[in-house]
Amino acid sequence: MAWGAEGVALGLLLGAGLFCLWWSMWSDEQASARRSAGWYVRWQDTLVQAGVESVSPLALALVCVGAAAAAVGVLLAISGAPAIAVCFGAMAGFAPVAFVRHRAERRRADLRELWPDVVDNLSSAIRAGLSLPEALAQVGERGPEALRAQFKRFAEDYQATGRFSESLLALKDRLADPVADRLVEALRITREVGGSDLGRLLRTLSGFLREDLRTRGELQARQSWTVTAARLAVAAPWAVLALLSTRPGAVAAYNQPAGILVLAVGAASSLVAYRLMLRIGRLPEEERVLR
């Protein structure tokens, strides 16, 4: 009985420790942002960051369902094994989501390099005596090429309505970027309440963004080969299975209960390993707190 009580106590301590480790991965700001933004809003931001803002999250979900159904039909016709067809159908259904996420990450990385130049352009324009609307409109003419269209639309909105705050909020929604959120809120508050420290704030923000970019670049260079190797390790068994699915003799084994169990265990192991790889290899991403 003594050993049983000690085992229960050790198990409770282990569980509490694991829970504390998991809880420490989420900051208060991240948790509140995830609670306040539902899945639809988060995916709308992801689509905007990926440059496909014309596609809605529901349309993306329909594309995933269609891709999964098409893959199941094709693999079922080729292999004749429902278990194999379902596995590759699930992968095909996840492919549009993975593509959108990858594209959003690439565009965020590209824009991360451009934001210091945008802040410097705004700071120079304000020091030259331009008003805030004129400084923002100038970014649409002389700023980085990838961001000119959004700032040109801001200038058009402001010329059409004359409402600075509403035009800024529309710009923030089109950019869907944490850096843009901070910049827009700083400009909006300065416009509403006034202040003489905007130039200093912009210079501080520019230095912080450049330091973050340099640190993130060093970390990505060190871990990129590890993440690539982990992805190849997860994909290799399924590539072999795809080749085996063209051989009727090999496919027949996966129509048996033992073969289905092997596929289920392999799929679960691959999913868990892939999620752990993403969790371990992912650099912290700034949340849209000032949404």
Side-chain angles (χ1 to χ4, degrees):
M1 295 296 294
W3 282 103
E6 291 179 359
V8 171
L10 290 175
L12 291 175
L13 288 175
L14 177 61
L18 292 175
F19 175 77
C20 291
L21 288 175
W22 176 83
W23 185 259
S24 65
M25 295 180 182
W26 308 98
S27 64
D28 294 338
E29 293 81 1
Q30 291 175 335
S32 60
R34 290 177 180 274
R35 286 194 297 267
S36 61
W39 72 269
Y40 190 93
V41 176
R42 291 198 302 269
W43 270 106
Q44 189 64 52
D45 288 346
T46 303
L47 290 168
V48 171
Q49 293 168 0
V52 287
E53 58 272 8
S54 59
V55 178
S56 67
L58 292 179
L60 178 62
L62 291 177
V63 171
C64 293
V65 173
V72 168
V74 171
L75 265 297
L76 194 59
I78 293 175
S79 64
I84 295 178
V86 169
C87 289
F88 283 98
M91 296 179 191
F94 181 73
V97 173
F99 173 76
V100 170
R101 284 179 174 173
H102 177 70
R103 183 178 172 87
E105 290 175 0
R106 289 291 302 273
R107 290 192 77 244
R108 281 198 301 266
D110 294 338
L111 294 181
R112 196 178 290 118
E113 299 179 358
L114 302 179
W115 280 117
D117 295 334
V118 172
V119 176
D120 289 342
N121 287 337
L122 286 174
S123 180
S124 299
I126 292 172
R127 285 200 305 269
L130 296 180
S131 63
L132 287 179
E134 292 173 340
L136 288 168
Q138 181 178 279
V139 177
E141 300 295 335
R142 302 179 181 179
E145 186 69 28
L147 292 171
R148 287 183 182 180
Q150 288 83 354
F151 284 91
K152 286 181 179 178
R153 290 184 62 183
F154 162 81
E156 294 171 357
D157 292 342
Y158 182 72
Q159 290 176 359
T161 63
R163 298 174 180 175
F164 184 71
S165 295
E166 294 183 4
S167 301
L168 267 182
L169 292 178
L171 174 64
K172 182 168 68 171
D173 291 337
R174 286 193 297 268
L175 292 171
D177 188 271
V179 179
D181 292 345
R182 283 185 289 171
L183 180 61
V184 165
E185 290 301 323
L187 295 177
R188 189 170 65 86
I189 293 174
T190 300
R191 176 78 171 189
E192 292 178 355
V193 304
S196 58
D197 293 334
L198 180 59
R200 185 185 307 169
L201 184 148
L202 292 177
R203 290 191 296 272
T204 302
L205 179 59
S206 176
F208 171 77
L209 292 176
R210 284 191 165 86
E211 182 65 25
D212 179 74
L213 181 63
R214 181 166 53 253
T215 304
R216 186 177 293 269
E218 294 176 356
L219 292 176
Q220 287 177 343
R222 293 179 181 180
Q223 73 170 15
S224 60
W225 67 272
T226 305
V227 175
T228 302
R231 288 174 176 170
L232 290 176
V234 171
W238 297 101
V240 174
L241 180 62
L243 295 176
L244 291 177
S245 63
T246 59
R247 302 180 59 183
V251 171
Y254 294 102
N255 288 326
Q256 305 298 323
I260 296 175
L261 179 61
V262 169
L263 283 177
V265 172
S269 301
S270 298
L271 179 60
V272 171
Y274 185 74
R275 295 297 300 177
L276 285 176
M277 181 269 296
L278 291 181
R279 171 63 64 184
I280 295 173
R282 185 180 64 182
L283 294 178
E285 290 289 343
E286 188 175 3
E287 298 285 342
R288 292 192 64 195
V289 179
L290 302 175
R291 184 181 298 275

